[in-house]
Amino acid sequence: MLAHQPSTRSGPRTLRLRRLQRYLGLFALTLLLNTCTGQDQPPLAFAYHPWPGYASLYLAENFGWLKDAQVTLHNTPSASASIAALRKVSSMVLR
């Protein structure tokens, strides 16, 4: 008779938590690398729209976690508006 072994599958909640941790870690790494250059750099721009994967950006903006960082967040209504906002910011920085 085979012994029952606990399942190694993760539930959806665990997967969402891991994904959120990964996004927050990448976001923190991006901020760290951006601030370590020692030069006057233009702010790092993020444009985001309503989508569950961008929840970390929404939380960072609402809790004020980015007040001291050189980061600008642009909340947009759609993905195409996010792309347009990033193009606008990029063209202003490159001038």
Side-chain angles (χ1 to χ4, degrees):
M1 182 171 253
L2 296 173
H4 178 68
Q5 294 183 6
S7 174
T8 57
R9 290 180 56 189
S10 299
R13 188 173 192 178
T14 304
L15 291 175
R16 281 183 281 176
L17 181 60
R18 286 183 188 165
R19 187 175 295 146
L20 178 61
Q21 288 172 339
R22 186 178 308 132
Y23 286 133
L24 288 175
L26 289 173
F27 187 67
L29 180 63
T30 302
L31 291 177
L32 178 67
L33 292 176
N34 188 46
T35 57
C36 289
T37 60
Q39 302 172 3
D40 287 336
Q41 297 270 333
L44 186 62
F46 286 97
Y48 66 98
H49 52 276
W51 181 67
Y54 296 145
S56 57
L57 293 175
Y58 177 78
L59 292 172
E61 183 177 43
N62 283 335
F63 288 126
W65 295 339
L66 302 175
K67 286 182 181 178
D68 297 332
Q70 288 189 349
V71 175
T72 57
L73 297 177
H74 306 279
N75 190 355
T76 60
S78 66
S80 57
S82 293
I83 293 170
L86 287 174
R87 285 185 180 149
K88 181 181 177 183
V89 170
S90 295
S91 67
M92 292 180 347
V93 169
L94 295 175
R95 288 183 189 165

